[in-house]
Amino acid sequence: MDEKKSLEQSLELMAHLDGVESAGRRKAVEAWLAADPAAVALRDELSWVRQAVRSHEPLGQVPDSREFYWSQIRRRIEQADAVTAAAARPSRSRFADWMAWLVPVTGVAAVTLLATLHPWQSGSATSGVTEASAMTYTSETDGVTIHWID
Amino acid sequence: MPPSLNNDYPSSPDEALVGWAQKGDTEAFEELIFRHRDKIYARAMMMMRNEDEALDLSQEAWVKAWQRLHQFQGDSSFATWMTRIVINLCLDQIRRQKKMRAESIEQIEEEAGGVERQMPVEHVNPTEGLEKEELRIRIDEAMAKLTEAHRTVLVLHEFQGLEYKEIAKKVGISIGTVMSRLFYARRRMASLLQGLKRERKA
């Protein structure tokens, strides 16, 4: 019998032991067990290992005291709660982020546009600085007058 | 939420403690931890074979349990629910570790049953006549010598009580691979337990 077929047969034997083999294969496994003492030996080995392991689950003991162990868990719970709370806190929306830079940019653009479209009045500054030239912008609709002194 | 002042935690059943904990009673939750912490830690230790990791993952399991306590419906015992959480955390950790390291050729060969194929069948049960505690220690020692892949399948099948297909889904392998790993794990355990008995006699 080749190795692969032998392994398949052994796995079927194990499935039989665990009670999960298909109904169609049960008879084949039982026939193998009836004819081959090696199959019986393998089944017995798998069986006692399974029984021994299942009924003797290794035990463990937390190395820390009750108070210390609990304090560690409580701290981690508090940290996790803090992260959750921070994530749930309302943050500035994407719209607000856009508005934060859109408003000043729009303002500058508007001023530039108005400056381009409206006539500028040139004249001398009235501040007494005779060398300086001045420009005045007036918008009657906005009721604004801007004096620009160089 | 403040603790329920009139609750007698140590003498209350798990179901009552869970109910109080679900309402925010941390003292009830602490009592649950005290009752089950060793079992949860032991399960993590069996999977990871490393005390620090087992301790860390067992604590993480309790944190997760607190956060998901409202999901616990009582379909299984609280202890069973807790072991599922810690096992899932261990499997996640193992997956992360596997991504970080390339498995050695020896391990790949062993997962394929390279050594176990050659092992003779143990006709004598070496566990007969042993004291329960002694056998428990021997099984723990033998499990420590299994490869991680074999041990994981063995723990999930024998201690978590999962069927082949459930293990396949959880671990992300085929049912055939689950069966071969379980088969080789059991064969290796038989050999290791026999060897431990011989060592003891010598």
Side-chain angles (χ1 to χ4, degrees):
Chain A
M1 187 185 296
D2 67 58
E3 208 170 82
K4 191 181 172 196
K5 195 169 178 190
S6 169
L7 175 61
E8 281 175 9
Q9 203 170 24
S10 298
L11 296 184
E12 280 183 357
L13 184 63
M14 184 181 73
H16 177 75
L17 184 72
D18 288 331
V20 292
E21 90 277 43
S22 65
R25 298 304 301 162
R26 187 175 302 137
K27 281 187 178 175
V29 173
E30 284 168 355
W32 184 36
L33 284 167
D36 189 352
V40 175
L42 179 60
R43 182 202 58 191
D44 290 349
E45 182 197 78
L46 294 172
S47 178
W48 66 251
V49 169
R50 190 177 76 141
Q51 181 57 31
V53 171
R54 280 187 181 182
S55 51
H56 297 86
E57 180 177 345
L59 302 175
Q61 197 170 8
V62 172
D64 300 330
S65 69
R66 172 179 180 159
E67 291 73 22
F68 185 70
Y69 190 67
W70 166 236
S71 72
Q72 300 260 306
I73 293 166
R74 194 173 50 198
R75 186 175 54 80
R76 289 168 80 152
I77 288 173
E78 285 166 359
Q79 282 174 348
D81 285 349
V83 170
T84 309
R89 203 172 296 137
S91 58
R92 200 163 67 172
S93 67
R94 182 165 287 187
F95 176 73
D97 288 342
W98 274 94
M99 291 304 286
W101 69 268
L102 200 63
V103 168
V105 167
T106 311
V108 170
V111 168
T112 308
L113 188 67
L114 285 169
T116 309
L117 295 176
H118 284 72
W120 289 91
Q121 297 172 1
S122 295
S124 297
T126 56
S127 64
V129 182
T130 53
E131 300 83 8
S133 62
M135 294 178 78
T136 302
Y137 162 71
T138 303
S139 170
E140 288 183 6
T141 50
D142 297 324
V144 173
T145 300
I146 299 171
H147 297 286
W148 208 302
I149 302 167
D150 285 332
Chain B
M1 187 176 284
S4 312
L5 296 174
N6 295 323
N7 294 338
D8 182 8
Y9 300 112
S11 59
S12 299
D14 279 5
E15 293 76 16
L17 292 170
V18 169
W20 292 327
Q22 283 173 329
K23 291 174 187 162
D25 186 342
T26 53
E27 283 187 43
F29 189 61
E30 186 194 351
E31 178 64 26
L32 285 167
I33 294 176
F34 178 63
R35 283 184 195 181
H36 300 290
R37 64 185 186 145
D38 285 341
K39 185 180 178 68
I40 301 307
Y41 170 74
R43 201 53 68 90
M45 188 64 194
M46 246 187 288
M47 292 285 283
M48 308 308 296
R49 307 309 303 188
N50 177 298
E51 280 184 22
D52 290 338
E53 278 187 304
L55 196 58
D56 181 55
L57 289 168
S58 70
Q59 288 182 351
E60 188 60 30
W62 288 110
V63 174
K64 285 263 185 295
W66 173 256
Q67 292 169 332
R68 298 174 188 172
L69 210 51
H70 62 281
Q71 295 173 4
F72 178 71
Q73 303 292 323
D75 301 332
S76 61
S77 72
F78 179 73
T80 301
W81 186 69
M82 273 307 303
T83 57
R84 271 191 226 130
I85 292 176
V86 78
I87 286 287
N88 286 340
L89 287 172
C90 290
L91 290 172
D92 287 344
Q93 177 74 351
I94 289 168
R95 273 188 213 106
R96 275 195 295 273
Q97 289 173 347
K98 265 189 179 168
K99 277 185 189 168
M100 289 169 67
R101 65 161 200 268
E103 288 178 73
S104 67
I105 293 168
E106 291 88 329
Q107 189 174 358
I108 292 165
E109 278 180 356
E110 191 169 1
E111 281 182 24
V115 177
E116 290 77 4
R117 277 174 205 271
Q118 316 301 325
M119 289 189 318
V121 172
E122 302 293 349
H123 292 273
V124 180
N125 180 353
T127 65
E128 276 178 1
L130 286 179
E131 292 287 331
K132 199 169 175 65
E133 276 317 298
E134 190 181 357
L135 181 52
R136 203 188 292 279
I137 291 166
R138 284 192 188 188
I139 285 171
D140 192 34
E141 288 171 351
M143 286 184 69
K145 291 177 180 170
L146 296 180
T147 64
E148 188 180 86
H150 286 172
R151 188 170 52 245
T152 297
V153 171
L154 193 70
V155 170
L156 293 179
H157 188 69
E158 309 297 15
F159 301 135
Q160 284 296 111
L162 298 185
E163 301 287 349
Y164 298 164
K165 64 180 174 187
E166 292 171 315
I167 299 170
K169 193 175 171 189
K170 218 174 236 310
V171 182
I173 53 179
S174 69
I175 292 179
T177 306
V178 170
M179 289 177 74
S180 61
R181 283 186 187 178
L182 184 61
F183 176 73
Y184 291 130
R186 283 169 167 169
R187 295 235 52 217
R188 183 109 175 100
M189 284 295 287
S191 173
L192 287 164
L193 289 169
Q194 197 69 259
L196 289 172
K197 188 174 185 185
R198 283 191 211 105
E199 277 174 29
R200 185 62 62 94
K201 274 185 179 174

